[in-house]
């Protein structure tokens, strides 16, 4: 029999922590990009659009309506019966608790009914591992996670081995995009809308702040930027209308300010990452040149932004880093990344008990594997 690390696993993933109801089935070995046999992502954007943001109660109900069907569809598309599954990986947090509960209860019920191991996955670990869905990405790497709910810089040293280098002290980057878009009446979700409007605007028209710029601890702050946008707009509009020209120029100025903050904070995180333990030591790393681990992974919905990607590309060129960005479908919330985290955990025999609790808050650093690497891989 193959050891767990060499075995091929088939895993169902379930994701319901925000406003995407998603299921996916992967097949593969630990550490290798898996075959994605099937995936379904049902966005609830239409349910929330009238409110200009995700309404937790509506999201939870929509997950309850959509999830069973999404799972059935993935099994059908993968032409698999449940007895072929080796594990069910489900987001157990962090996120909107109603949605997390729907997913986790469903995952537990299926694990029990089908007699398949359960893997309770941290949503952030899914994002952290998402580049490995399509490209073999060796540990360690520096992760910039920029989504609607999260804005973090993390040193990813291995599965379950994460060090938080910086985080936001108020809003997440995606949240700043969403709130700023709402302010200008550009619709929801705000990120793609701002990027579209910005493409025709002048980024130098408005002078906006770059909060925390230059500070050595790579934290983020975006709420002041949003306030500055409101003030600058009030001044520019006066008694007149908010013209398309103003919207375009403000979208471009805002996007440029966010890009500056992200690249400056990431540059500071690179320095910390290079001092860190995962970068300098660990199995197999010593023999390789240090530059081999100069790798920045950008994940989360905001990583879909082309302007921000090019700013990060320029930073990486300057610092000698390789930039890895998952394909857009895996930058935003999806179940394939949850299934991948589950597959990796399954290969380490890090199974979850059926009474595992959902968590609205769950820092990535609290996902350490209970079983040491050497013992679990056998
Ligand atoms: O990762 P994600 O799908 O969900 C969360 O876990 O939050 O990220 C959604 C966030 C939203 O705030 C959305 O406005 C932002 O990502 N986003 C973008 C772009 N596309 C999505 N932000 C900037 N530019 C984009 N093109
Ligand atoms: Zn997410």
């Amino acid at each position: 029999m193959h050891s767990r690390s060499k075995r091929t696993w088939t895993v169902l993933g379930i994701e319901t922590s925000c406003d995407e109801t998603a299921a996916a089935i992967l097949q593969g070995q630990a550490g290798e990009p898996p075959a994605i046999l099937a995936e379904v992502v049902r966005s609830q954007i239409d349910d929330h659009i009238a409110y200009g943001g995700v309404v937790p109660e509506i999201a939870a109900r929509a997950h309850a309506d959509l999830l069973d069907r999404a799972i059935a569809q993935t099994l059908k598309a993968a032409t698999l019966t449940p007895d072929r599954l080796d594990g069910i990986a489900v987001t157990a947090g962090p996120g909107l608790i109603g949605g997390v509960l729907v997913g986790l209860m469903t995952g537990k019920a299926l694990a029990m009914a089908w007699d398949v191991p359960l893997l309770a996955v941290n949503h952030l670990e899914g994002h952290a591992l998402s580049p490995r869905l399509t490209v073999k990405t060796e540990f360690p790497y520096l992760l910039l996670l920029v989504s609607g709910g999260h804005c973090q810089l993390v040193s990813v040293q291995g599965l379950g081995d994460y060090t938080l280098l910086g985080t936001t002290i108020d809003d997440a980057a995606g949240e700043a995009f969403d709130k700023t878009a709402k302010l200008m009446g550009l619709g929801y979700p705000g990120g793609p809308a701002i990027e579209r409007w910005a493409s025709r605007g002048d980024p130098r028209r408005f002078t906006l702040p770059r909060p925390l710029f230059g500070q050595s601890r790579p934290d983020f702050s975006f709420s002041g930027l949003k306030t500055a946008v409101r003030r600058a707009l009030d001044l520019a509009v006066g008694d007149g209308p908010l013209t398309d020209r103003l919207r375009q120029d403000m979208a471009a100025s805002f996007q440029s300010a966010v890009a500056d903050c992200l690249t400056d904070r990431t540059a500071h995180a690179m320095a910390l990452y290079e001092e860190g333990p995962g970068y300098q030591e660990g199995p197999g790393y010593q023999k390789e040149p240090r530059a081999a681990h100069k790798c920045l992974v950008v994940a989360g919905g905001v990583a879909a932004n082309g302007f921000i990607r090019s700013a990060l590309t320029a930073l990486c060129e300057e610092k000698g880093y390789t930039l890895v960005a998952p394909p857009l479908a895996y930058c935003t919330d999806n179940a394939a990344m949850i299934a991948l985290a589950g597959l990796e955990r399954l290969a380490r025999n890090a199974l979850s008990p059926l009474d595992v609790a959902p968590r609205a808050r769950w820092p990535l650093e609290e996902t350490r594997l209970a079983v040491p690497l050497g013992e679990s891989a056998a």
Side-chain angles (χ1 to χ4, degrees), residues 14 61-62 65 77 154 214 224 226 239 248 279 330 338-339 344 365:
I14 297 172
R61 281 166 189 264
D65 283 346
V154 181
K226 183 196 63 201
D239 294 331
Q248 287 162 357
Y279 184 85
Y330 302 127
I338 303 302
E344 298 280 353
E365 284 172 310

Side-chain angles (χ1 to χ4, degrees), residues 123 127 147-149 174-175 177-178 189-192 195 300-302 304-305 331-333:
H123 179 83
H127 279 302
S147 71
E175 200 178 352
F177 270 96
D178 294 336
E195 185 172 13
V302 180
N305 186 291
C331 274
T332 51
D333 287 350

Side-chain angles (χ1 to χ4, degrees), residues 101-118:
L101 253 170
V102 170
L104 188 56
M105 297 307 285
T106 305
K108 285 179 180 180
L110 295 178
M112 214 178 313
W114 295 340
D115 195 19
V116 174
L118 178 76

Side-chain angles (χ1 to χ4, degrees), residues 15 17-18 123-124 127 145 147-150 300-301 331-333 337:
E15 160 58 38
S17 67
C18 191
H123 179 83
L124 302 174
H127 279 302
L145 173 59
S147 71
H150 305 281
C331 274
T332 51
D333 287 350
M337 67 183 191

Side-chain angles (χ1 to χ4, degrees), residues 40-123:
V40 174
V41 181
R42 296 285 303 272
S43 168
Q44 303 172 5
I45 283 180
D46 292 345
D47 298 336
H48 302 285
I49 215 159
Y51 305 93
V54 179
V55 184
E57 174 67 9
I58 294 177
R61 281 166 189 264
H63 288 306
D65 283 346
L66 299 170
L67 185 58
D68 291 352
R69 203 172 135 70
I71 293 170
Q73 281 173 340
T74 48
L75 280 166
K76 189 161 176 230
T79 57
L80 283 182
T81 46
D83 59 309
R84 299 282 308 283
L85 295 175
D86 299 307
I88 297 180
V90 52
T91 300
L96 301 173
I97 197 68
V100 173
L101 253 170
V102 170
L104 188 56
M105 297 307 285
T106 305
K108 285 179 180 180
L110 295 178
M112 214 178 313
W114 295 340
D115 195 19
V116 174
L118 178 76
L119 303 127
V121 170
N122 183 309
H123 179 83

